[in-house]
Amino acid sequence: MVTLSVSAPSHPFQAHLQWVTFDWEIAKRWVYRLQRRIAKATVEKRFNKVKVLQRLLTRSFYARMLAVRQVTSNKGKHTPGVDKEVWSEAYQKGLAASNLSKIGYKPQPLRRIYIPKKNRKLRPLSIPTMRDRAMQALYLMALNPVAETTADRDSFGFRQYRSAHDALQKCYCNLASKGKAQWILEADIKSCFDEISHEWILNNIPIDKSILRKWLKSGYVENGTLFDTTAGTPQGGIISPVICNMVLDGLQQTVNKHQGVKKYVNFIRYADDFIVTGNSPETLKEIQHDIEKFLAERGLSLSKDKTKITHINDGFDFLGFNIRKYNGKYLSKPSKDNVKKVLFRDKVDH
């Protein structure tokens, strides 16, 4: 396989021409073929070959162009980082792709902002610079084939060709019939993105460790003050959801150890939200104990206030829907909180 070799444009017009005349379909096919080889090597447990292929992909000009295209065409393309820079012109994108390299790379601190949560508290959001986003997108192309190959079967969040509705369909399959489980463990991980152990990430996430360490330790700026980051992967980073998924992969295997005759143990996860079904509260308490040990190894813990065991007749909220049985019939409908949110928004609009 031969990759395209392109010298860095010496003039903005050359960079503009390079960007607007680039053949994106050839680039996507080339990167996809390499990703398939990475996935195949992962299945065969040839991890040295995985590293070689990942290095080849991240040095490819095709992949660099696609990475810049991704960060300049998504929803956050107009949101700057601490350098207040966005890439809106074609020549800026062409120059950025040509100069995207590990050599001499040092990420800048994240820009910290806060967004409201459902409980009226604030969620921290950390915004990388455009260059750091493009580097993350580049290395994500190399990490995704590994993440998809090793992922839990019933993990649905932040994965290609999967959605929240797939997770809700799985709930129906596991709970609707008469002979299915009647009890549900509603699990909530406390500050998942913010508390993940950096040591665990560096020891277990299979991408370039020097780059990964720089991202994790880059710090963040809030009100003009620089703060260190000692744990977690920032919400707002392109690669963070996949890292979070890989940290939690293995939960299903932990839960499945408790499967047995008529225990009806099933596991459904969307990012850091998950439920476990079972035939009794006692079974689910045993499973919860093993889940807590699994999470503790990764620096995480379950929220005591939000984690609970519920009967299907009482219902539970999952991914914005309320799921329960009425007189033995399975029904799912938008949760009360989500209905109130829509009604309140309509009132504000009018």
Side-chain angles (χ1 to χ4, degrees):
M1 185 181 292
V2 179
T3 184
L4 183 66
S5 177
V6 178
S7 58
S10 57
H11 191 276
F13 176 75
Q14 290 178 313
H16 172 91
L17 191 63
Q18 179 175 275
W19 184 265
V20 298
T21 60
F22 190 71
D23 193 325
W24 298 105
E25 290 304 315
I26 288 178
K28 285 191 282 188
R29 287 198 296 270
W30 191 92
V31 169
Y32 179 67
R33 285 198 298 269
L34 198 52
Q35 287 177 321
R36 288 183 61 184
R37 293 179 63 190
I38 293 171
K40 183 179 178 182
T42 303
V43 171
E44 296 170 350
K45 300 188 185 302
R46 300 172 64 186
F47 299 116
N48 285 335
K49 185 174 182 179
V50 169
K51 290 181 180 179
V52 171
L53 293 172
Q54 285 181 324
R55 191 180 304 118
L56 180 62
L57 192 153
T58 55
R59 293 179 179 181
S60 156
F61 183 70
Y62 286 142
R64 285 184 279 147
M65 289 287 281
L66 289 171
V68 172
R69 187 191 192 197
Q70 179 181 344
V71 301
T72 55
S73 59
N74 60 18
K75 289 182 179 179
K77 62 184 178 181
H78 299 304
T79 306
V82 292
D83 60 356
K84 300 181 179 179
E85 182 179 314
V86 293
W87 298 334
S88 55
E89 302 295 335
Y91 80 89
Q92 293 174 311
K93 300 171 188 178
L95 287 172
S98 296
N99 295 324
L100 206 61
S101 171
K102 174 185 174 181
I103 300 172
Y105 172 68
K106 183 179 179 182
Q108 292 184 264
L110 306 161
R111 181 166 73 91
R112 175 63 61 89
I113 62 172
Y114 292 88
I115 56 175
K117 297 168 65 174
K118 287 191 296 185
N119 58 7
R120 297 183 180 179
K121 293 183 179 180
L122 295 175
R123 183 193 305 278
L125 190 67
S126 300
I127 302 172
T129 64
M130 293 297 290
R131 184 165 187 251
D132 293 335
R133 273 178 259 177
M135 283 292 284
Q136 288 189 20
L138 177 62
Y139 278 83
L140 179 57
M141 290 181 203
L143 181 62
N144 244 334
V146 181
E148 286 295 315
T149 304
T150 59
D152 284 344
R153 183 190 63 201
D154 293 320
S155 164
F156 297 95
F158 300 115
R159 294 185 61 191
Q160 292 177 316
Y161 312 116
R162 294 188 174 212
S163 69
H165 290 285
D166 294 318
L168 293 168
Q169 174 66 21
K170 193 70 178 180
C171 288
Y172 176 83
C173 293
N174 293 337
L175 293 166
S177 301
K178 287 184 179 179
K180 296 292 186 178
Q182 299 295 301
W183 294 91
I184 300 95
L185 170 64
E186 300 177 65
D188 185 272
I189 300 175
K190 186 178 179 181
S191 303
C192 182
F193 278 86
D194 300 327
E195 301 293 336
I196 302 171
S197 164
H198 281 182
E199 183 180 357
W200 195 94
I201 292 174
L202 290 168
N203 289 336
N204 293 277
I205 302 300
I207 55 171
D208 190 297
K209 303 302 180 187
S210 63
I211 295 287
L212 184 56
R213 182 177 287 104
K214 288 177 181 179
W215 286 333
L216 295 175
K217 303 296 184 182
S218 62
Y220 65 91
V221 173
E222 184 178 355
N223 296 326
T225 304
L226 176 63
F227 296 90
D228 293 332
T229 45
T230 57
T233 179
Q235 295 190 60
I238 288 176
I239 204 169
S240 294
V242 174
I243 290 177
C244 182
N245 263 343
M246 296 187 77
V247 169
L248 297 178
D249 283 334
L251 260 177
Q252 184 158 16
Q253 185 178 356
T254 299
V255 169
N256 286 347
K257 291 177 183 177
H258 294 266
Q259 284 184 336
V261 178
K262 295 187 177 181
K263 285 192 174 183
Y264 306 116
V265 172
N266 286 288
F267 172 86
I268 305 163
R269 177 166 70 85
Y270 188 92
D272 58 337
D273 292 331
F274 65 93
I275 63 167
V276 182
T277 69
N279 67 332
S280 69
E282 292 73 26
T283 298
L284 294 178
K285 285 178 182 176
E286 291 177 14
I287 293 172
Q288 181 178 341
H289 178 69
D290 284 354
I291 288 173
E292 287 171 345
K293 289 198 297 184
F294 175 93
L295 295 175
E297 294 174 1
R298 292 152 174 77
L300 300 172
S301 62
L302 292 176
S303 170
K304 294 181 179 179
D305 296 333
K306 298 179 182 178
T307 300
K308 55 187 176 181
I309 296 173
T310 310
H311 194 275
I312 186 63
N313 290 342
D314 297 323
F316 64 97
D317 289 346
F318 185 54
L319 303 179
F321 282 77
N322 180 263
I323 298 169
R324 71 187 330 176
K325 281 188 176 179
Y326 294 88
N327 298 321
K329 183 176 179 61
Y330 178 97
L331 290 173
S332 65
K333 59 184 181 180
S335 65
K336 289 182 180 179
D337 287 342
N338 278 12
V339 172
K340 288 179 182 178
K341 190 188 300 181
V342 172
L343 293 175
F344 177 76
R345 186 176 61 200
D346 288 344
K347 287 180 181 178
V348 172
D349 291 342
H350 287 87

